[in-house]
């Protein structure tokens, strides 16, 4: 059986084969998270949770982190262990739009259905972490604020059935009879706390860990080059404004000329 988790060396090799994204002075410009490949974002999430400061923040203790392989993708982009038992799962969502409740329940139930199908020990499973640079929408934010009390069974059912009824038979979820796992699925979901990691969280981490940042981004800290770019943009904007102003004068003049011209009967 192929190991479903990557080694540290495999992650390093992947980073060497991925093209770094150009960033000019991250103190001023944004990191282009949405332009990262799925593998890059997943590896960044691995390093994010490998940071002891973040482990203490999310788990109040030091834990063990493993990054999942695509050949064994079960919704577990990053898996957090303690004493060999899964205590958390992180999923990366590299979308332009914010993550909503429907997508959240679909992905969460997918993760747990695989764990149930594998007969994994979920007694210590306590955290589900969403790594979404674009963030989450207001409805999902309200849901996870008091998650255990805001859960709606219909949302769980719809998310789970969407995974079980999928046409992709290679995931093995299609063989599950929902009534057989419904109670277990709901029990696990109700024991979870939900955390979100957004662009600001990633920015702070990369600011404090420039070595990690350099693994993913080609960073040019030359402020002067950025200032020159800003100057060029300002100059271009000035030119465009002048063109716009004079083009409007020309258009108005043509309209007046056309109006006057229509007074005469020209063939």
């Amino acid at each position: 059986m192929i190991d479903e988790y990557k080694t540290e060396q495999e992650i390093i090799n992947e980073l060497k084969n991925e093209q770094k994204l150009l960033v000019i002075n991250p103190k001023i410009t944004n990191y282009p998270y949405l332009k990262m490949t799925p593998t890059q974002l997943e590896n960044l999430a691995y390093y994010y949770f490998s940071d002891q400061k973040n482990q203490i923040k999310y788990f109040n203790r030091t834990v063990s982190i493993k990054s999942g392989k695509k050949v064994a993708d079960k919704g577990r982009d990053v898996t957090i262990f303690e004493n060999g038992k899964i205590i958390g799962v992180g999923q990366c969502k590299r979308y332009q739009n914010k993550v909503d409740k429907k997508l959240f329940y679909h992905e969460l139930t997918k993760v747990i259905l695989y764990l149930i199908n594998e007969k994994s020990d979920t007694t210590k499973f306590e955290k589900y972490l969403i790594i979404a640079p674009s963030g989450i929408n207001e409805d999902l934010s309200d849901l996870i604020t008091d998650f255990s009390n805001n859960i709606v069974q219909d949302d769980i059912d719809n998310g789970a059935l969407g995974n079980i009824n999928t046409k992709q038979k290679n995931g093995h979820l299609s063989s599950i009879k929902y009534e057989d796992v419904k109670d277990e699925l709901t029990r696990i979901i109700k024991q979870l706390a939900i955390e979100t990691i957004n662009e600001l969280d990633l920015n702070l981490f990369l600011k404090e860990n420039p070595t990690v940042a350099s693994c993913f981004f080609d960073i040019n800290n030359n402020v002067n080059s950025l200032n020159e770019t800003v100057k060029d943009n300002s100059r271009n904007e000035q030119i465009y404004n002048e063109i716009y102003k004079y083009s409007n004068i020309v258009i108005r003049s043509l309209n007046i000329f056309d109006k006057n011209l229509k007074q005469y009967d020209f063939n």
Side-chain angles (χ1 to χ4, degrees):
M1 181 178 177
I2 299 175
D3 187 1
E4 62 183 277
Y5 298 107
K6 292 183 282 192
T7 65
E8 181 81 25
Q9 188 57 52
E10 286 175 318
I11 293 173
I12 293 171
N13 292 339
E14 283 182 342
L15 291 174
K16 289 179 180 177
N17 293 326
E18 293 275 7
Q19 184 175 358
K20 294 182 183 181
L21 296 168
L22 178 63
V23 178
I24 300 177
N25 199 330
K27 293 180 180 178
I28 302 174
T29 60
N30 296 324
Y31 285 106
Y33 298 113
L34 300 185
K35 292 183 179 180
M36 299 177 82
T37 66
T39 299
Q40 283 176 318
L41 186 57
E42 289 162 14
N43 287 335
L44 176 56
Y46 166 80
Y47 283 112
Y48 181 89
F49 290 114
S50 295
D51 181 72
Q52 190 174 31
K53 182 178 178 181
N54 286 328
Q55 291 181 10
I56 300 300
K57 175 182 177 181
Y58 295 109
F59 295 96
N60 299 317
R61 57 198 185 277
T62 302
V63 292
S64 176
I65 312 297
K66 291 187 179 181
S67 183
K69 290 181 178 178
K70 278 299 175 189
V71 292
D73 182 22
K74 298 168 182 176
R76 305 197 292 262
D77 296 327
V78 178
T79 308
I80 298 94
F81 292 89
E82 186 177 53
N83 298 324
K85 293 184 178 182
I86 294 175
I87 63 169
V89 168
Q91 275 195 302
C92 298
K93 297 297 157 206
R94 189 180 55 93
Y95 297 125
Q96 295 288 339
N97 297 327
K98 295 181 178 181
V99 177
D100 59 23
K101 278 204 302 185
K102 183 178 180 180
L103 177 62
F104 164 77
Y105 273 111
H106 178 81
E107 295 298 329
L108 176 59
T109 55
K110 174 185 175 183
V111 168
I112 299 174
L113 285 171
Y114 269 112
L115 291 174
I116 293 173
N117 202 41
E118 295 169 352
K119 296 180 171 53
S120 299
D121 186 343
T122 58
T123 54
K124 300 295 184 181
F125 187 19
E126 62 184 57
K127 288 260 174 114
Y128 178 71
L129 307 116
I130 308 166
I131 303 93
S134 293
I136 62 176
N137 71 6
E138 188 174 347
D139 285 346
L140 181 52
S141 179
D142 291 341
L143 169 67
I144 66 177
T145 299
D146 188 13
F147 184 59
S148 60
N149 291 319
N150 289 335
I151 295 171
V152 176
Q153 186 64 48
D154 284 348
D155 291 332
I156 297 175
D157 296 344
N158 291 334
L161 290 171
N163 284 296
I164 292 172
N165 296 331
T166 181
K167 294 180 180 179
Q168 297 176 350
K169 301 298 183 182
N170 59 347
H172 305 297
L173 295 183
S174 58
S175 63
I176 294 176
K177 292 182 180 179
Y178 185 51
E179 290 304 317
D180 293 341
V181 300
K182 179 177 178 177
D183 291 344
E184 179 69 0
L185 174 69
T186 302
R187 180 194 67 77
I188 295 171
I189 288 177
K190 287 184 175 181
Q191 74 186 24
L192 294 176
I194 313 299
E195 299 276 0
T196 59
I197 293 87
N198 59 28
E199 181 180 23
L200 296 178
D201 298 309
L202 295 174
N203 286 347
L204 178 61
F205 169 66
L206 292 178
K207 179 182 177 182
E208 296 176 346
N209 297 272
T211 303
V212 175
S214 66
C215 293
F216 299 91
F217 302 102
D218 184 7
I219 301 172
N220 181 354
N221 287 311
N222 189 345
V223 178
N224 291 329
S225 67
L226 181 64
N227 288 338
E228 289 301 320
T229 303
V230 172
K231 288 178 183 177
D232 288 342
N233 288 338
S234 298
R235 184 169 177 272
N236 288 337
E237 185 177 356
Q238 183 180 2
I239 293 171
Y240 294 148
N241 287 337
E242 291 295 316
I243 292 173
Y244 179 76
K245 181 174 69 176
Y246 287 111
S247 65
N248 278 339
I249 293 173
V250 172
I251 290 170
R252 286 198 299 271
S253 299
L254 287 173
N255 286 337
I256 294 170
F257 178 72
D258 182 60
K259 183 179 179 181
N260 291 333
L261 193 64
K262 287 178 180 176
Q263 296 177 22
Y264 304 95
D265 184 15
F266 288 108
N267 186 355

